């Protein structure tokens, strides 16, 4: 099979026809046999990305880090951690991608640094330090809890004060109120752009502006600490800071086709419009969370059954909310999410069908799709059975906190098995060899036992595979203007099994029909939509097979 031509669009909005591929470097490919993925491994696998047809590669952090949160705790913004390789190898990766017509997006983690970053070491050394206001220091902590369990404050001997950390104690929050901090971050951005990178995915960027009063937060039933979200999410100055960043950094690179993506957990459509309105010059698109929280109850570990109605309603709200202004990013999986096939699909009998359906529904919405490593072969959750099998700090902390609060270990493990971030971090499954072709050493996190069946090699030459389906969808985005620019209309908000929508464009229209269930679905009134050329799928008639998806063009 031949390579898929890249989108090749340039100029404003070039990314509308692009597809982004996310690599979690620890788990993608290990080039030196130490059991941890690295830059050499990524470079050795560029043929796969080119063949798949993706336009942009986003890599999760590879900067020097104590790895308290697998690199989302950065101790030096201007280098590469030896675990992953060298700066020279990163330069080579940039050059090799550019040669193939692809771009590189780096992860900017600037809400917080590592506590081992020289900025924090200096800030915590003494109350007189010139960097004393670079972080959030208080003599007495407030009642906030961290996103990763436990308090959001830790005492520092050197400062004889407490510092704020919304994530682990090894991730102190930078104080963006201080202009010196903001300009230090802008310097980092310019340094990487001058090195040739093509943009940034900005980690938890909607947390950078806090209510400076740091008020006490409400404590939810059964919790020990206050829920600080109202004081930190989409805070009072976040739009001002992003517009300043744009002026100070990105406006100076107007001749380059950059991609600016914000990770904005728990944000709203209203805020999403502001972040991505081109006239405001903040970001190109945001990674919002609503569609990946459909199965959360009062909080993430309170796992609820999948609800198609709610998914359809929230996705449609983002589609219509950002129709006249702004732009959507489209994703199911990343290194923080369990695998969507196990979550919203069926990872047993209908794994292939449901993986294809989920891909179709995602890629044919209006927005820029993000493929997370392994999505393209329908990778699934891992059969975790005991706490010893988890690596992630979020999972391990939650386990201990929940046990201390009196929960039963089996119940906690059940939640973790469904929702833990480690599900998305098991090694990429390249082939059916003992470590799935990921490493010749001992993998840092166990390989999913189903790699003997679910792997790239097994799917590459099979036209009916999930992998071939992804290529078809990516090609369709590159070739069909209705996929890129067509408007979006939900065709039913009540069918119990079917997600159906239309993309209308001056060149024609696409109709997407997807049966989100393991039973046949009678299309009823929707049967009238089964007209035109079937461009994706092979079914026909007014009854859809289990997990069947179809796309008509007319
Ligand atoms: O939702 C979450 C909290 O319950 C987490 O999955 C996650 O921390 C959140 O989505 C923010 O993610 C980003 O920032 C974190 C890092 O651990 C994640 O890997 C990153 O993607 C802190 O830097």
């Amino acid at each position: 099979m031949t390579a898929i031509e890249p989108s090749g669009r340039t100029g404003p909005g070039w990314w509308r026809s692009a597809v982004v591929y996310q690599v979690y470097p620890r788990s993608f490919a290990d080039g030196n046999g130490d059991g941890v993925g690295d830059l050499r491994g990524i470079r050795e696998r560029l043929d796969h990305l080119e063949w798949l047809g993706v336009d942009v590669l986003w890599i999760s952090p590879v900067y020097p880090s104590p790895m308290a949160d697998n690199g989302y705790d950065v101790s030096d913004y201007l280098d590469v951690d030896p675990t992953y390789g060298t700066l020279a190898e990163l330069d080579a990766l940039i050059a090799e991608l550019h040669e193939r017509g692809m771009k590189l997006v780096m992860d900017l983690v600037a809400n917080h640094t590592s506590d081992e970053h020289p900025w924090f070491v200096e800030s915590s050394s003494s109350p007189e330090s010139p960097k004393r206001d670079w972080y959030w220091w208080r003599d007495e902590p407030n009642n906030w809890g961290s996103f990763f369990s436990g308090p959001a404050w830790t005492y520092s001997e050197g400062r004889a004060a407490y510092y704020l950390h919304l994530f682990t104690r090894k991730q102190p929050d930078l104080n963006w109120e201080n202009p010196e901090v903001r300009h230090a971050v802008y310097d980092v951005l310019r340094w990487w752009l001058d090195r040739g990178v093509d943009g940034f995915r900005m980690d938890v960027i909607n947390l950078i502006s806090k209510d400076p009063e740091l008020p006490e937060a409400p404590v939810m039933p059964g919790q020990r600490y206050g829920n600080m979200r109202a004081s930190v999410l989409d805070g009072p100055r976040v739009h001002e800071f992003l517009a300043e960043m744009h002026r100070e950094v990105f406006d100076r690179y107007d001749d380059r086709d950059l991609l600016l993506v914000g990770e904005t957990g728990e944000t709203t459509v209203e805020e999403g419009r502001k972040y991505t309105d081109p006239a405001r010059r903040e970001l190109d698109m945001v990674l919002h969370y609503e569609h990946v929280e459909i199965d959360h109850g009062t909080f993430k570990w309170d796992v609820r059954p999948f609800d198609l109605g709610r998914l359809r309603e929230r996705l449609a709200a983002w589609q219509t909310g950002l129709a006249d202004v702004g732009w959507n990013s489209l994703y199911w999986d990343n290194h923080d999410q369990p695998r969507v096939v196990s979550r919203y699909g069926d990872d047993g009998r209908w794994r292939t069908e449901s993986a294809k359906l989920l891909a179709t529904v995602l890629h044919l919405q209006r927005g820029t799709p993000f493929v997370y490593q392994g999505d393209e072969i329908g990778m699934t959750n891992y059969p975790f059975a005991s706490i010893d099998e988890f690596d992630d700090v979020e999972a391990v902390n939650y386990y201990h906190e929940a046990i201390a609060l009196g929960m039963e270990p089996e119940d906690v493990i059940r939640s973790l098995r469904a929702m833990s971030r480690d599900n998305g971090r098991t090694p990429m499954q390249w082939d059916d060899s003992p470590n799935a072709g990921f490493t010749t050493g001992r993998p840092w996190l166990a390989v999913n036992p189903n790699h003997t069946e679910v792997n790239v090699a097994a799917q590459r030459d099979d036209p009916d595979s999930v992998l071939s389906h992804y290529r078809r969808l990516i090609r369709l985005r590159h070739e069909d203007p209705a996929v890129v620019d067509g408007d979006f209309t939900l065709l039913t908000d009540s069918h119990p099994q079917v997600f159906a929508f239309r993309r209308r464009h001056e060149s024609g229209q696409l109709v997407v029909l997807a049966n989100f269930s393991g039973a046949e679905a009678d299309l009823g009134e929707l049967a009238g939509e089964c007209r035109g050329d079937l461009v994706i799928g092979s079914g026909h008639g007014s009854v859809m097979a289990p997990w069947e998806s179809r796309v008509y063009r007319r």
Side-chain angles (χ1 to χ4, degrees):
M1 281 188 267
T2 52
I4 291 174
E5 288 299 310
S7 141
R9 269 214 204 176
T10 56
W14 65 270
W15 27 258
R16 294 161 71 105
S17 58
V19 175
V20 181
Y21 188 95
Q22 182 195 353
V23 158
Y24 192 62
R26 277 188 101 65
S27 306
F28 188 63
D30 175 14
N32 68 358
D34 67 355
V36 181
D38 48 35
L39 291 174
R40 194 197 297 173
I42 298 174
R43 290 169 58 203
E44 285 168 1
R45 296 292 184 174
L46 292 185
D47 282 348
H48 174 70
L49 303 187
E50 186 174 350
W51 176 81
L52 191 57
V54 299
D55 305 280
V56 179
L57 170 64
W58 148 32
I59 54 172
S60 280
V62 291
Y63 314 105
S65 164
M67 305 288 167
D69 188 17
N70 286 353
Y72 283 90
D73 48 324
V74 178
S75 55
D76 180 354
Y77 287 112
L78 308 181
D79 205 348
V80 169
D81 194 278
T83 313
Y84 298 123
T86 62
L87 208 43
E89 284 178 279
L90 189 58
D91 288 339
L93 173 65
I94 297 171
E96 288 158 7
L97 284 167
H98 287 173
E99 250 164 55
R100 294 171 189 252
M102 288 186 267
K103 293 177 184 285
L104 182 69
V105 162
M106 296 288 278
D107 215 307
L108 171 78
V109 191
N111 171 69
H112 44 268
T113 66
S114 164
D115 65 339
E116 297 180 34
H117 193 289
W119 297 345
F120 186 78
V121 172
E122 194 174 323
S123 186
S124 58
S125 63
S126 129
E128 273 76 55
S129 155
K131 290 199 168 47
R132 60 184 170 274
D133 292 329
W134 279 47
Y135 296 83
W136 294 88
W137 291 99
R138 289 292 184 270
D139 291 337
E140 291 300 328
N142 66 13
N143 74 341
W144 293 2
S146 103
F147 282 111
F148 289 165
S149 306
W153 296 90
T154 292
Y155 187 72
S156 151
E157 298 285 345
R159 268 298 282 262
Y162 293 83
Y163 64 88
L164 175 69
H165 53 88
L166 295 181
F167 296 92
T168 73
R169 59 193 301 168
K170 291 198 56 75
Q171 293 163 295
D173 280 58
L174 280 164
N175 175 14
W176 279 66
E177 297 292 318
N178 183 339
E180 287 177 24
V181 167
R182 305 203 297 273
H183 287 275
V185 173
Y186 305 156
D187 285 344
V188 168
L189 292 169
R190 284 190 290 261
W191 190 89
W192 281 107
L193 291 173
D194 292 340
R195 234 183 157 89
V197 313
D198 305 290
F200 300 93
R201 172 272 188 190
M202 304 178 191
D203 191 61
V204 292
I205 202 69
N206 64 329
L207 298 180
I208 58 177
S209 164
K210 281 93 177 158
D211 175 346
E213 300 295 319
L214 308 183
E216 293 288 298
V219 183
M220 296 196 299
Q223 300 290 302
R224 245 182 97 184
Y225 298 99
N227 180 344
M228 71 332 205
R229 285 172 169 77
S231 299
V232 301
L233 287 171
D234 306 313
R237 298 181 69 190
V238 66
H239 296 288
E240 174 198 333
F241 293 160
L242 287 173
E244 179 185 83
M245 178 193 285
H246 211 292
R247 274 197 313 279
E248 293 290 325
V249 182
F250 307 121
D251 276 350
R252 304 184 190 180
Y253 296 82
D254 250 354
D255 56 331
R256 301 254 297 267
D257 286 334
L258 300 183
L259 179 62
L260 309 175
V261 186
E263 188 211 21
T264 55
E266 302 181 41
T267 200
T268 59
V269 174
E270 213 34 62
E271 291 293 329
R273 286 169 60 93
K274 292 191 201 156
Y275 288 121
T276 65
D277 177 353
R280 296 171 61 100
R281 302 187 74 69
E282 296 182 24
L283 300 171
D284 297 325
M285 59 192 78
V286 292
L287 299 160
H288 71 85
Y289 278 35
E290 289 194 318
H291 65 299
V292 291
E293 293 181 341
I294 299 298
D295 50 358
H296 294 190
T298 47
F299 68 134
K300 164 171 179 169
W301 307 111
D302 172 18
V303 185
R304 299 291 168 88
F306 172 65
D307 177 346
L308 174 64
R310 206 166 144 212
L311 177 74
R312 195 167 49 192
E313 192 264 320
R314 289 328 297 160
L315 284 175
W318 279 88
Q319 287 289 304
T320 47
L322 271 60
D324 59 328
V325 73
W327 188 250
N328 268 294
S329 60
L330 309 168
Y331 76 96
W332 289 128
D333 285 352
N334 59 44
H335 63 291
D336 293 334
Q337 300 296 334
R339 292 285 179 178
V340 71
V341 182
S342 301
R343 210 178 169 183
Y344 298 169
D346 177 342
D347 62 7
R349 175 167 176 203
W350 305 107
R351 189 190 62 82
T352 298
E353 291 77 4
S354 63
K356 288 186 192 174
L357 171 145
L358 287 159
T360 302
V361 165
L362 191 81
H363 281 245
L364 295 185
Q365 288 177 58
R366 192 163 187 274
T368 299
F370 286 59
V371 180
Y372 179 58
Q373 62 186 45
D375 279 350
E376 75 271 37
I377 52 170
M379 275 177 65
T380 67
N381 281 356
Y382 183 89
F384 291 104
S386 105
I387 186 62
D388 309 325
E389 293 175 290
F390 292 95
D391 168 86
D392 181 25
V393 60
E394 184 194 33
V396 174
N397 286 359
Y398 170 67
Y399 180 83
H400 293 298
E401 184 170 270
I403 298 299
L405 285 168
M407 287 183 66
E408 291 300 326
E410 309 85 84
D411 294 339
V412 183
I413 294 294
R414 194 175 319 114
S415 299
L416 291 176
R417 190 186 306 124
M419 220 44 94
S420 159
R421 307 195 296 180
D422 283 334
N423 282 305
R425 299 177 179 187
T426 61
M428 177 70 183
Q429 295 166 201
W430 296 102
D431 58 40
D432 63 3
S433 67
N435 289 321
F438 163 69
T439 182
T440 53
R442 190 167 172 270
W444 72 278
L445 191 65
V447 173
N448 195 311
N450 68 11
H451 73 274
T452 48
E453 281 161 46
V454 182
N455 64 67
V456 174
Q459 297 188 20
R460 215 185 125 109
D461 298 322
D462 173 3
D464 294 324
S465 67
V466 178
L467 185 54
S468 297
H469 189 78
Y470 267 84
R471 296 186 81 226
R472 231 168 269 136
L473 290 168
I474 293 169
R475 174 175 287 150
L476 200 59
R477 174 164 295 267
H478 290 172
E479 294 175 356
D480 189 339
V483 178
V484 179
D485 295 317
D487 67 12
F488 175 98
T489 314
L490 196 60
L491 294 176
T492 169
D493 56 10
S494 61
H495 196 292
Q497 293 155 284
V498 176
F499 192 158
F501 57 91
R502 173 186 298 134
R503 302 288 314 281
R504 208 177 31 208
H505 184 257
E506 60 193 24
S507 69
Q509 57 176 299
L510 293 165
V511 168
V512 178
L513 301 169
N515 174 12
F516 267 78
S517 81
E520 287 188 342
D522 190 333
L523 284 167
E525 286 175 9
L526 288 170
E529 299 291 345
C530 301
R531 287 179 288 122
D533 300 330
L534 197 58
V535 288
I536 298 276
S538 57
H540 55 86
S542 61
V543 175
M544 293 187 87
W547 295 105
E548 185 195 335
S549 49
R550 293 181 206 165
V551 181
Y552 291 97
R553 192 178 210 294
R554 53 181 188 254

